[in-house]
Amino acid sequence: MSVEVGSKVIGKVTGIKNFGAFVELPGGKTGLVHISEVADQYVEDINEHLSVGQEIEVKVLSVGDDGKISLSIKKAKEQKPKPRPRRESSPEDFEKKLSSFLKDSEDRLSTIKRQTESRRGGRGKR
């Protein structure tokens, strides 16, 4: 079986080093999951996440000219975000929201003006 970039496959952890884990892929090829591709959060000790003999799902990130295969566990788990359904709004809804916003904005401005004038000592000129 050839390893294709972007494909997700099940592999078996064959070795763990402080920089990552070696994973045997179907077809007998071996790839490396770098420690930065193990989990979404910072991984200080890879042994807390993986163990030799464990079967894991990985995504093939790249296959180098020299045959080195780069893998990722966290990208294999990623799912595309589901699009939210668009809610149709009528022009009346927009007008209500705009009117509410303008009223709120005017209220806030008048409050700020009042506070500023009271700090200056009133409305009279000096």
Side-chain angles (χ1 to χ4, degrees):
M1 175 182 169
S2 68
V3 178
E4 295 182 24
V5 174
S7 64
K8 292 181 183 179
V9 294
I10 302 293
K12 189 174 188 177
V13 178
T14 58
I16 297 178
K17 300 289 182 189
N18 60 354
F19 55 85
F22 292 98
V23 178
E24 184 178 339
L25 303 173
K29 294 190 177 187
T30 300
L32 174 71
V33 178
H34 188 266
I35 193 168
S36 65
E37 292 294 330
V38 171
D40 288 329
Q41 68 274 8
Y42 176 75
V43 176
E44 188 170 335
D45 183 9
I46 195 167
N47 292 300
E48 293 176 2
H49 296 269
L50 299 172
S51 58
V52 174
Q54 180 180 0
E55 288 198 351
I56 55 173
E57 182 181 32
V58 293
K59 183 174 184 177
V60 180
L61 299 180
S62 66
V63 179
D65 294 335
D66 54 359
K68 290 183 180 178
I69 302 169
S70 178
L71 306 169
S72 173
I73 296 171
K74 69 180 184 182
K75 290 195 172 107
K77 293 179 183 176
E78 284 181 357
Q79 297 177 347
K80 293 181 181 176
K82 295 178 183 175
R84 294 189 310 172
R86 284 190 69 135
R87 197 187 88 167
E88 295 296 322
S89 61
S90 65
E92 291 83 26
D93 288 343
F94 176 75
E95 291 294 328
K96 285 180 186 176
K97 287 180 182 178
L98 182 61
S99 173
S100 172
F101 171 78
L102 289 173
K103 182 182 180 309
D104 188 44
S105 179
E106 287 173 7
D107 290 346
R108 289 180 187 201
L109 279 173
S110 65
T111 301
I112 291 171
K113 260 187 184 174
R114 251 185 278 120
Q115 290 173 348
T116 304
E117 289 172 355
S118 67
R119 286 186 189 142
R120 289 187 194 162
R123 298 181 182 208
K125 291 184 178 179
R126 293 185 178 191

